[in-house]
Amino acid sequence: MEGKCFGSLMMLLVFSPVVLAQSEGLQIGFYSSSCPQAEPIVKSTVQAHFSADPSIAPGLLRLHFHDCFVQGCDGSVLIAGTSTERSALPNLGLRGFDVIDDAKAQLEASCPGVVSCADILALAARDAVDLSGSPSWNVPTGRRDGRVSSSSGVSSLPSPLDSIAIQRQKFVAKGLDDHDLVTLVGAHTIGQTDCLFFRYRLYNFTTTGNADPSITQSFLTQLRALCPNNGNGSKRVALDIDSQMDFDVNFFKNVRDGKGILESDQRLYGDSNTRRIVDNYAGNIRGLLGVRFNFEFPKAMVKMSSTEVKTGNQGEIRRVCSKLN
Ligand code: HEM
Ligand SMILES: *[C@@H]1O[C@H](CO)[C@@H](O)[C@H](O)[C@H]1NC(C)=O
Ligand SMILES: *[C@@H]1O[C@H](CO)[C@@H](O)[C@H](O)[C@H]1NC(C)=O
């Protein structure tokens, strides 16, 4: 939180550090004596890449999520190869590998063989969100790197076509409930998607020539202009239209107002339980409810970041993040 200026009393009350001493065998400050520079090195590396290209922040956040949902948060998404997670379709658009490699190289120079790639991912995701304007939080560390990475594992990742029932099922499988689901998908307050992932909603969605009826009419016109029917499917569109650089609650307002981009995002408003959570975050009181999301997001991240982690003498500490030792 240092370096940021928060004005109101409300914020002072809510932004106390998230206190979570231990989580699944992880602990805050795991490297405080073995490699005290670990967290500052990750932070300065993320900062340097962010200065050159701020769109790296959403890239790093998504990279950590995709790591955690397959084989747990164990760096398995980083392994290069022809049949690894990284090579599988849902992971082809992942970005930020170079940032992790850069941080790892510096860490190996300072404290060889100590800091796991899985922890670098978790720390980098936190620092990326911090740089995008949300308060920082303590990341429990001590993850070990996995020794398995297979393209067949990626079926546990959610797809933008998933119904709420399927989204819920995939999150429950990771120990995450509806509150976590809605809160974590709030990550779509930053970053972009290819037209390809949602264009089918704009044209002939029902196979009767109509668009997805959950899209607000004025927004449909806007989206059709951004993604013409036979246009370039790789064109990028903000997941949180009008506010893609800020880690704020605008994403939830958009979902409430029929301006969700991905079908899976808009579906959060079609189920009574997830809708209630979206409404809570979207709110009407400017600022106040944004604070609530900013407080809940770190808690949900700490939970997701602890998914099926390897600790103690499990796995290994990789020397190069893209290769098993
Ligand atoms: C139901 C759950 C989810 C689905 C179906 C989903 C799907 C997607 C899709 C299709 C994209 C666009 C990818 C592209 O075009 O390159 C995307 C982007 C993104 N997702 Fe998710 N996502 C989900 C949950 C999450 C969670 C839990 C996080 C993090 C905590 C997250 C973080 C991001 C970020 C930051 C981006 C932007 C990436 C960029 O700009 O490079 N997503 N997501
Ligand atoms: C919509 O899709 C259906 C089924 O694929 C197809 O038969 C129909 O011709 C399409 N209509 C338009 C307007 O593209
Ligand atoms: C499609 O859009 C992407 C992203 O903006 C761009 O890199 C690519 O060159 C475009 N392709 C064509 C054929 O225009």
Side-chain angles (χ1 to χ4, degrees):
M1 280 213 282
E2 66 270 29
K4 288 196 191 139
C5 180
F6 297 112
S8 76
L9 175 64
M10 191 58 212
M11 289 196 163
L12 283 176
L13 291 175
V14 178
F15 282 149
S16 53
V18 177
V19 182
L20 271 166
Q22 283 218 335
S23 180
E24 307 285 336
L26 304 176
Q27 68 187 86
I28 290 166
F30 180 81
Y31 299 111
S32 58
S33 53
S34 59
C35 187
Q37 287 308 299
E39 299 204 20
I41 286 175
V42 174
K43 188 181 191 135
S44 64
T45 307
V46 173
Q47 217 148 19
H49 285 262
F50 180 84
S51 305
D53 173 15
S55 82
I56 203 61
L60 288 167
L61 179 54
R62 185 166 185 241
L63 192 54
H64 178 50
F65 160 53
H66 279 222
D67 184 33
C68 291
F69 262 60
V70 184
Q71 298 268 351
C73 315
D74 70 345
S76 53
V77 74
L78 301 172
I79 301 294
T82 49
S83 58
T84 61
E85 286 172 32
R86 186 169 165 174
S87 70
L89 200 61
N91 285 335
L92 295 182
L94 291 180
R95 302 153 59 239
F97 294 100
D98 54 330
V99 181
I100 306 300
D101 290 344
D102 186 353
K104 181 61 173 177
Q106 293 178 58
L107 288 165
E108 285 302 294
S110 300
C111 3
V114 173
V115 182
S116 69
C117 299
D119 276 342
I120 298 173
L121 278 170
L123 293 167
R126 182 270 310 271
D127 294 335
V129 171
D130 184 16
L131 286 166
S132 304
S134 188
S136 192
W137 65 90
N138 289 321
V139 176
T141 41
R143 292 166 193 77
R144 307 266 300 175
D145 295 323
R147 295 198 38 82
V148 175
S149 178
S150 163
S151 55
S152 60
V154 300
S155 56
S156 52
L157 285 168
S159 145
L161 282 71
D162 285 345
S163 66
I164 284 296
I166 301 290
Q167 293 184 50
R168 181 176 280 142
Q169 187 185 314
K170 288 178 174 174
F171 276 69
V172 164
K174 303 297 169 194
L176 301 166
D177 60 19
D178 272 8
H179 180 77
D180 301 317
L181 166 68
V182 176
T183 306
L184 289 167
V185 173
H188 292 169
T189 179
I190 54 172
Q192 301 183 329
T193 178
D194 286 5
C195 283
L196 212 57
F197 287 111
F198 68 91
R199 189 170 51 187
Y200 66 94
R201 302 179 65 210
L202 313 180
Y203 311 95
N204 209 4
F205 175 74
T206 53
T207 72
T208 54
N210 297 323
D212 183 339
S214 64
I215 306 173
T216 288
Q217 195 58 42
S218 60
F219 192 54
L220 179 62
T221 310
Q222 199 181 334
L223 288 184
R224 281 178 169 165
L226 288 170
C227 300
N229 202 359
N230 296 308
N232 182 350
S234 302
K235 196 173 156 197
R236 305 283 284 169
V237 172
L239 285 164
D240 180 10
I241 223 92
D242 298 332
S243 170
Q244 63 168 312
M245 300 307 286
D246 298 322
F247 212 91
D248 57 15
V249 294
N250 204 55
F251 168 78
F252 296 108
K253 294 182 183 183
N254 280 336
V255 168
R256 178 194 62 193
D257 297 342
K259 297 180 175 181
I261 303 282
L262 301 177
E263 186 180 354
S264 54
D265 290 346
Q266 193 57 52
R267 293 295 162 263
L268 295 174
Y269 214 64
D271 170 273
S272 61
N273 200 40
T274 52
R275 176 190 198 131
R276 184 182 51 79
I277 303 163
V278 171
D279 275 335
N280 264 337
Y281 286 144
N284 292 310
I285 312 163
R286 228 190 158 76
L288 189 60
L289 286 136
V291 169
R292 228 174 81 72
F293 172 58
N294 284 344
F295 183 64
E296 296 299 324
F297 188 76
K299 288 200 288 183
M301 280 294 286
V302 168
K303 216 169 149 183
M304 183 188 83
S305 292
S306 310
T307 305
E308 299 157 28
V309 290
K310 296 165 181 71
T311 54
N313 53 15
Q314 296 172 305
E316 64 185 18
I317 302 296
R318 251 175 247 154
R319 283 186 287 273
V320 173
C321 288
S322 57
K323 285 193 285 199
L324 301 178
N325 285 348

